[in-house]
Structures are given as structure tokens and as C-alpha cells.
Amino acid sequence: MELRQAVDIDLQERRRQTDEAILLFSHYAQRLYGEGRETYLAIEAGRNNLTITPCIDSDGSRGISKHLLFRPDPRGPGTPARP
């Protein structure tokens, strides 16, 4: 079984958790950027990896594309990810 198939199967088995993550992302993005903007989180199996793509309709705003994504860091919670 190739990696992409394995990730697809895993995502199907975790459908409840991924659906919850998608709903939470949409909820918080709309609270931050306004109810009128389309928001979604795409979680897909790539050929060699898992791809998680956040999308917030910019509605002409340039600042949204420059928001920071956070990840766990051994130095402590909430440390900004470094590019």
C-alpha cells in the first residue's frame, strides 16, 4: 500500500476528528475576521505527505494572508512557527 492510500484510509477512519477540526477552524476564523467571509480547512492526502490548507476569503484585505500559524514548540506552548 502506498503512503497516499494509507493516509486516505487514516483520514476516513478519523473523519469525526477531522470534521470537528474543520468546524472549529471555521468558527474561530469567522470570529476573528468576520461572519461574511468564507472559511474552510482542507485536509488531504498528498503523494508524500498530509496537506492541511487553511483558507480565509480575504475580501480585499492584505493582512489576513500574513497571519502566523502556531505549532507545538519545546520552548513552550503558543510559540510562533518560524518560516
Side-chain angles (χ1 to χ4, degrees):
M1 177 184 310
E2 72 176 45
L3 181 59
R4 184 179 193 148
Q5 290 174 324
V7 173
D8 273 333
I9 291 169
D10 188 55
L11 286 173
Q12 289 172 10
E13 291 173 355
R14 296 173 191 260
R15 185 66 178 192
R16 189 174 181 187
Q17 290 92 344
T18 56
D19 284 350
E20 182 178 357
I22 291 166
L23 287 172
L24 286 171
F25 174 81
S26 181
H27 172 77
Y28 288 118
Q30 287 183 4
R31 286 189 67 189
L32 287 169
Y33 300 111
E35 297 275 333
R37 295 191 174 149
E38 180 182 356
T39 61
Y40 66 87
L41 184 67
I43 303 174
E44 304 170 308
R47 182 176 176 160
N48 296 312
N49 59 3
L50 177 66
T51 304
I52 302 173
T53 308
C55 181
I56 303 168
D57 183 24
S58 67
D59 194 29
S61 174
R62 296 172 58 145
I64 292 174
S65 63
K66 303 205 183 303
H67 67 276
L68 291 174
L69 296 179
F70 290 86
R71 64 173 168 73
D73 189 294
R75 294 174 292 156
T79 304
R82 294 183 181 162

